[in-house]
Amino acid sequence: MAFYFEEPSRTFSEFLLVPGYSSTNCVPTNVALKTPVTKFKKGQQPEISMNIPLVSAIMQAVSDDEMAIALAKEGGISFIFGSQSIESEAAMVARVKNHKAGFVLSDSNIRPDQTLQDVLDLKEKTGHSTVAVTKDGTSTGKLLGIVTSRDYRITRMQLTEKVADFMTPFEKLTTAHKTTTLKEANNIIWDHKLNALPLIDDDQHLAYIVFRKDYDSNKENTLELLDSSKRYVVGAGINTRDYEERVPALVEAGADVLCIDSSEGHSEWQKITLDFIRKQYGDRVKVGAGNIVDRDGFRFLAEAGADFIKVGVGGGSICITREQKGIGRGQATALIDVAKARDEYYEETGTYIPICSDGGIVYDYHMTLALAMGADFLMLGRYFSRFDESPTNKVNVNGTYMKEYWGEGSNRARNWQRYDLGGDKKLSFEEGVDSYVPYAGSLKDNVNTSLSKVKSTMCNCGALSIPELQQKAKITLVSSTSIVEGGAHDVLLKDTSNNL
């Protein structure tokens, strides 16, 4: 007969943390949220860690290159969505890696015989105001000049005016040889009060551009997540269908870590994909797998070679897998079960495999609960979809600004690749919805607020790190009436909207 779990399947909202002793040293500014992303042996350090325990979901409505850059600045990782062409996804990865390489390969280039209108069109396309003027209009052509917004006035110039007539010519530029170190380049920028320094070869061909904003960004974003070459760390989603072509393209583009995007990870499809990656790249390419909801699923993917494992089926705000198929598990229960399996595996093998809680986060305090229950980091979709940096439209719905948000299992996304059932290249039915979420502003402001709450709660538990939180946390179930008691009740709230 079927196996029955004795305990009910529970969600984060059914639990609270019980305060513990906290010393005078336990203040939010002393809390460190650094966490491992990829597996490591006992006594060693993971090859990839994050400075905050947040990653953005592998979704069309969430994770593109702009989101990846914004989240890396705060210390997390975006997994760029894989439900697009291989070329498009690889290009997004490359843009993230080139954005802050220190030495940036110019992606805004123009010929001197083109016009002001062409400059404006290019600026609209790339969002960059510094345009390199090269003989052939390529990123490595002979450098003839630079155009910035200071070189033209739209109201005073004809759109047909040639670039050669208003650019800053090469003779008036401060440049340096391509062998210049990043430190030397930054010194030149500061000494000459420049915003950008072109680096050229012996034949005056453009090699790179070093921007002042990258130096400033490093000073402003103290937690930013960089690789060994001072480039932003970025992840990318893959599937179990075209991995033989997609994985090499993403690795070539510079992806730091991959993740199999699948509705259910306890399958032979995932093992086949992991086997391919290990055979082709060994341990050089880091890849997460999932999603699973119990001990058996964790053990399967751990033994298949996953570098981290995602937990959660059916708990996302736009996911309707549970009501469509009757399959899944409450996110809190799933996470607790898998965390125990992770710890057992570590004791047996000496290998620690981080787990990522994916789904079920409704309120900021759920983040702290998920970490206390054993998650090393959290994958969030709805949370990040609300921000300026998500790739969706901001719309006015009945006088309120909203952002569009849809699931990978919706008809809009049509991401059939993540449903490993060996069927046709189509969705037979939806497992996600098309929706709106309230617009929330910038990623930076919201992430800082959310993590401030996490740090404060950790201090209430007497913990200054995520591992310490998991060791010290005391968690209690709450009744339905206790949940009501936890919010404002038995009062008439004032309307303070006009005072904001």
Side-chain angles (χ1 to χ4, degrees), residues 401-435:
Y401 280 113
M402 312 287 282
K403 292 275 281 187
E404 293 181 307
Y405 180 46
W406 60 92
E408 290 296 291
S410 67
N411 278 332
R412 182 169 183 174
R414 296 189 177 278
N415 185 7
W416 60 270
Q417 294 98 327
R418 71 192 305 271
Y419 298 93
D420 306 317
L421 300 179
D424 296 331
K425 297 181 179 181
K426 64 179 182 179
L427 292 176
S428 300
F429 54 88
E430 286 187 291
E431 292 190 41
V433 298
D434 196 345
S435 65

Side-chain angles (χ1 to χ4, degrees), residues 321-385:
T321 294
R322 295 179 191 175
E323 65 181 65
Q324 289 281 59
K325 298 169 64 175
I327 194 168
R329 199 177 190 188
Q331 187 67 12
T333 300
L335 182 56
I336 292 168
D337 193 10
V338 173
K340 289 180 181 177
R342 186 264 320 277
D343 294 343
E344 290 172 3
Y345 188 84
Y346 181 51
E347 288 297 319
E348 292 175 19
T349 66
T351 297
Y352 186 92
I353 303 178
I355 56 176
C356 168
S357 180
D358 178 17
I361 301 293
V362 180
Y363 305 109
D364 286 346
Y365 82 89
H366 288 172
M367 295 181 184
T368 320
L369 273 169
L371 295 172
M373 289 174 176
D376 295 282
F377 57 99
L378 318 174
M379 179 170 279
L380 306 171
R382 181 196 60 84
Y383 178 83
F384 286 113
S385 71

Side-chain angles (χ1 to χ4, degrees), residues 30 263 278 280:
N30 290 338
S263 65
R278 294 296 171 240
Q280 294 295 120

